[in-house]
């Protein structure tokens, strides 16, 4: 029985990367055209959502979303969620219709095919470089002025699997307060269990997510970023404990 599980895990994980690449290859001409000009990003975003949903369905996942508040069209937000799995990217794309840009680690740009588009459409950060972190703010500000939203996983990376929720970095909350945009806390309940970074683990099944009531930043200043950060983390942590008591 153990051998059968190992065979399943190996084939299933390989299938994940095949799916990632195959869908990109099928859509490749349209994806390339959509990244030629910055103002065409919303068209790229539509295709990115198709790609994400295709991977989730193809891997045998289904998702269920509870929403306390709906995002408005043509309005910018700061989207934040707990980070436990590569599925976090796909699930975020699947459940959010408003065009947004990821802020993510530069290492993902090395993934074949995926990395080609990732580094041309996302805001990459080298977490060991203060200069890189400053450039993130500049690029994020530019995207917000274009009417897009920003998505940041504020733990700053995927924590050890024994950690329920790591401490949050300041970046997302600094940007949100500077631009007076609402923070949208989201909790992903099952991504770690379904598809963690541990190779011999996971299974198809349900991915639960909750979009919480927004945290307004109108009138907030940079000095308030710690308060915003702690409030957001408390909301997500409390929901994780409710999802998995």
């Amino acid at each position: 029985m153990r051998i059968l599980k190992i065979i399943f895990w190996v084939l299933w994980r390989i299938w994940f990367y095949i799916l990632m690449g195959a869908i990109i290859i099928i859509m490749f001409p349209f994806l390339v055209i959509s990244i030629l000009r910055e103002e065409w990003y919303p068209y790229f975003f539509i295709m990115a959502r198709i790609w994400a949903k295709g991977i989730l369905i193809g891997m045998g996942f289904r998702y269920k979303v509870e929403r306390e508040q709906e995002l408005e069209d043509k309005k910018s937000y700061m989207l934040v969620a707990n980070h436990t799995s590569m599925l976090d990217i796909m699930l975020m794309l699947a459940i959010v219709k408003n065009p947004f840009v990821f802020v993510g680690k530069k290492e993902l740009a090395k993934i074949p095919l995926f990395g080609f588009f990732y580094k041309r459409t996302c805001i990459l950060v080298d977490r060991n470089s203060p200069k890189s972190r400053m450039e993130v703010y500049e690029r994020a500000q530019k995207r917000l002025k274009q009417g897009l939203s920003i998505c940041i996983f504020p733990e700053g990376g995927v924590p050890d699997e024994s950690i329920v929720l790591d401490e949050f970095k300041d970046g997302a909350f600094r940007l949100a307060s500077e631009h007076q945009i609402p923070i949208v806390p989201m909790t992903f309940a099952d991504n770690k269990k379904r598809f963690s970074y541990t190779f011999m683990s996971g299974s198809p099944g349900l991915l639960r997510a909750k979009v919480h009531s927004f945290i307004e930043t109108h009138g907030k200043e940079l000095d308030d970023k710690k308060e915003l950060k702690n409030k957001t983390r408390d909301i997500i942590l409390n929901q994780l404990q409710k999802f998995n008591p």
Side-chain angles (χ1 to χ4, degrees), residues 158-181:
V158 178
D160 185 271
E161 291 192 20
S162 63
I163 298 173
V164 176
L165 187 66
D166 210 345
E167 294 301 318
F168 283 4
K169 310 296 185 186
D170 290 341
F173 311 98
R174 174 181 171 182
L175 275 168
S177 57
E178 280 183 352
H179 291 272
Q180 302 284 281
I181 58 174

Side-chain angles (χ1 to χ4, degrees), residues 135-200:
E135 289 172 350
V136 165
Y137 288 111
E138 294 172 4
R139 293 190 62 192
Q141 288 170 344
K142 182 178 179 182
R143 289 302 203 173
L144 288 169
K145 289 176 182 177
Q146 293 170 346
L148 300 174
S149 294
I150 300 293
C151 175
I152 297 179
F153 296 108
E155 290 167 278
V158 178
D160 185 271
E161 291 192 20
S162 63
I163 298 173
V164 176
L165 187 66
D166 210 345
E167 294 301 318
F168 283 4
K169 310 296 185 186
D170 290 341
F173 311 98
R174 174 181 171 182
L175 275 168
S177 57
E178 280 183 352
H179 291 272
Q180 302 284 281
I181 58 174
I183 298 166
V184 183
M186 300 187 198
T187 305
F188 296 162
D190 306 298
N191 294 6
K192 182 191 293 187
K193 176 176 69 177
R194 294 296 179 199
F195 202 84
S196 76
Y197 280 87
T198 300
F199 192 81
M200 297 297 182

Side-chain angles (χ1 to χ4, degrees), residues 77-121:
Y77 297 90
M78 177 59 66
L79 312 173
V80 298
N82 55 308
H83 196 20
T84 58
S85 166
M86 284 188 70
L87 293 183
D88 299 338
I89 294 173
M90 292 79 179
L91 188 57
M92 184 69 75
L93 285 166
I95 68 177
V96 177
K97 296 180 181 179
N98 293 42
F100 65 84
V101 176
F102 282 108
V103 174
K105 56 185 180 181
K106 68 172 188 176
E107 289 80 5
L108 292 181
K110 298 176 182 178
I111 299 175
L113 278 179
F114 170 83
F116 175 83
F117 294 101
Y118 177 79
K119 66 185 178 183
R120 287 166 174 80
T121 56

